[in-house]
Amino acid sequence: MDPLSRAYSALADPTRRAIIEQLSSGDASFTDLAKPFEISRPAVVKHLRALEAAGLIAKDGSKSRPVYRLSASAMRAPHDWLRNYARFWEGSLDRLDAYVREVVDSKGGKA
């Protein structure tokens, strides 16, 4: 699987997205990451492993006290891919705005 597909596959799960959001504030221990979720420890481990496999997070520290952090470079592929579509939508909205203004102006300022 290519890096973009791995990233989006990992990000498809809301729990994993929440973990990414937590890590956007800084590094965190397993305990800190697991705290907000009402799921088992093995389930949290499964989510963390999926994020690690996608390269979205990295684990440092000892085996008994791991610390997790975001891997910013892995977030680049999804960001760049979405940025292309953001340009498309922004351009479309700009054209729609221009069209609406043209219609309003042609009706003497009344929509």
Side-chain angles (χ1 to χ4, degrees):
M1 187 181 297
D2 66 282
L4 182 61
S5 297
R6 266 195 310 272
Y8 276 117
S9 179
L11 292 171
D13 185 277
T15 300
R16 294 179 195 147
R17 290 192 304 272
I19 290 170
I20 292 290
E21 189 168 333
Q22 281 180 273
L23 290 173
S24 71
S25 298
D27 298 355
S29 69
F30 176 87
T31 303
D32 291 337
L33 291 173
K35 198 177 296 183
F37 305 107
E38 294 182 15
I39 58 176
S40 67
R41 290 178 64 87
V44 174
V45 168
K46 183 178 176 181
H47 287 299
L48 291 171
R49 284 186 180 151
L51 290 167
E52 281 183 272
L56 297 172
I57 66 171
K59 179 171 55 173
D60 295 321
S62 69
K63 187 174 183 177
S64 62
R65 291 199 165 282
V67 174
Y68 295 88
R69 62 178 166 75
L70 279 181
S71 178
S73 61
M75 297 294 277
R76 184 175 311 280
H79 176 267
D80 290 347
W81 188 81
L82 280 175
R83 187 175 48 203
N84 290 329
Y85 292 95
R87 285 187 203 126
F88 167 78
W89 285 110
E90 288 167 2
S92 295
L93 291 173
D94 289 345
R95 288 188 299 277
L96 176 61
D97 181 58
Y99 174 75
V100 168
R101 289 176 190 274
E102 181 182 313
V103 168
V104 168
D105 288 345
S106 72
K107 295 190 180 233
K110 297 178 183 175

